[in-house]
């Protein structure tokens, strides 16, 4: 019998895990507070989207029923008055007590949102205004709001924009497989 002269070696240790180098963050992305406007689309650009249908200007809306309230823009006093005394999604978490300290700790709510004051403010909001049924009062609120200069400029060009299709450098048709009709190119 021939013996192998090769000695058996102990098994080699597993290779050390590879260290993945950390990506350095470019200077423009560093800072102490987030840039909430990063990649946001300005209202003027949204209004130029080919599928955008603008709400009528506040001073041109005539409210005669609850269905007409949907024509109010969020920036208007009339919209705010319609929401007084109503439970909306913006007040729901406070009303449910999600911001209360015990519930917030269980749910992992950020500390900056935890406060009993939010529940009290929601309660005061619900008690403050009665349901709006006076359409004349709402019409008076809408008519009393002066239109902004940008809105007047849009109104001047609105009939032309509605008659012809809009071709805009900001909004380009997306390629066929895309779920979006147009892509944004600022």
């Amino acid at each position: 019998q021939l013996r192998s002269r090769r000695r058996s070696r102990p098994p080699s240790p597993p290779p050390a895990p590879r260290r993945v180098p950390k990506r350095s963050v470019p200077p423009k992305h560093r800072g102490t507070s987030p840039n909430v406007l990063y990649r946001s689309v300005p209202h003027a650009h949204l209004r130029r989207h080919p599928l955008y249908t603008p709400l009528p200007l506040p001073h041109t809306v005539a409210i005669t029923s609850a269905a007409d309230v949907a024509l109010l823009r969020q920036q208007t006093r009339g919209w705010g008055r319609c929401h007084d005394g109503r439970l909306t999604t913006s007040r729901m978490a406070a009303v449910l007590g999600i911001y209360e300290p015990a519930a917030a700790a269980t749910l992992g709510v950020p500390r900056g949102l935890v406060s009993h004051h939010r529940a009290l403010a929601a309660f005061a909001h619900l008690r403050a205004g009665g349901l709006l049924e006076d359409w004349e009062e709402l019409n008076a609120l809408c008519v009393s709001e002066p239109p902004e200069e940008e809105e007047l400029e849009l109104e001047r060009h609105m009939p032309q924009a509605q008659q012809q299709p809009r071709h805009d450098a900001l909004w380009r048709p997306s390629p066929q497989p895309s779920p979006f009709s147009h892509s944004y190119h600022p």
Side-chain angles (χ1 to χ4, degrees):
Q1 285 187 351
L2 294 173
R3 280 193 172 171
S4 169
R5 292 187 164 205
R6 190 182 265 183
R7 292 184 181 173
S8 63
R9 287 192 248 169
S12 60
R18 291 178 35 193
R19 291 188 181 186
V20 178
K22 291 183 180 179
R23 283 193 273 166
S24 64
V25 179
K28 68 178 183 178
H29 297 293
R30 293 183 196 145
T32 57
S33 60
N35 182 357
V36 295
L37 298 178
Y38 179 68
R39 292 194 173 187
S40 67
V41 181
H43 275 282
H45 291 190
L46 284 176
R47 290 173 193 268
R48 290 168 59 181
H49 189 281
L51 300 178
Y52 178 80
T53 303
L55 288 172
L57 296 173
H59 67 278
T60 63
V61 175
I63 298 174
T64 57
S65 68
D68 296 333
V69 171
L71 299 174
L72 293 176
R73 296 181 179 189
Q74 283 189 359
Q75 305 92 332
T76 62
R77 288 180 290 188
W79 185 88
R81 179 63 183 97
C82 285
H83 286 79
D84 287 348
R86 295 183 191 259
L87 180 59
T88 60
T89 54
S90 64
R91 309 276 181 188
M92 187 62 74
V95 168
L96 292 174
I98 290 175
Y99 299 129
E100 296 295 318
T106 304
L107 296 171
V109 174
R111 283 187 299 187
L113 296 176
V114 178
S115 171
H116 180 63
H117 174 73
R118 291 179 178 267
L120 296 176
F123 179 70
H125 169 79
L126 292 173
R127 290 191 61 186
L131 297 179
L132 182 64
E133 295 293 334
D134 184 6
W135 306 125
E136 291 176 16
E137 175 191 345
L138 192 55
N139 279 322
L141 278 175
C142 293
V143 171
S144 68
E145 283 193 50
E148 295 177 12
E149 187 59 38
E150 177 188 342
E151 291 176 334
L152 289 174
E153 187 65 26
L154 285 170
E155 187 178 27
R156 285 186 208 113
H157 299 293
M158 197 175 297
Q160 298 167 353
Q162 289 174 348
Q163 291 171 2
Q164 53 190 332
R166 290 185 248 175
H167 299 287
D168 200 328
L170 286 174
W171 298 99
R172 298 183 194 145
S174 295
Q176 288 302 327
S178 174
F180 305 105
S181 66
H182 289 74
S183 57
Y184 179 59
H185 300 275

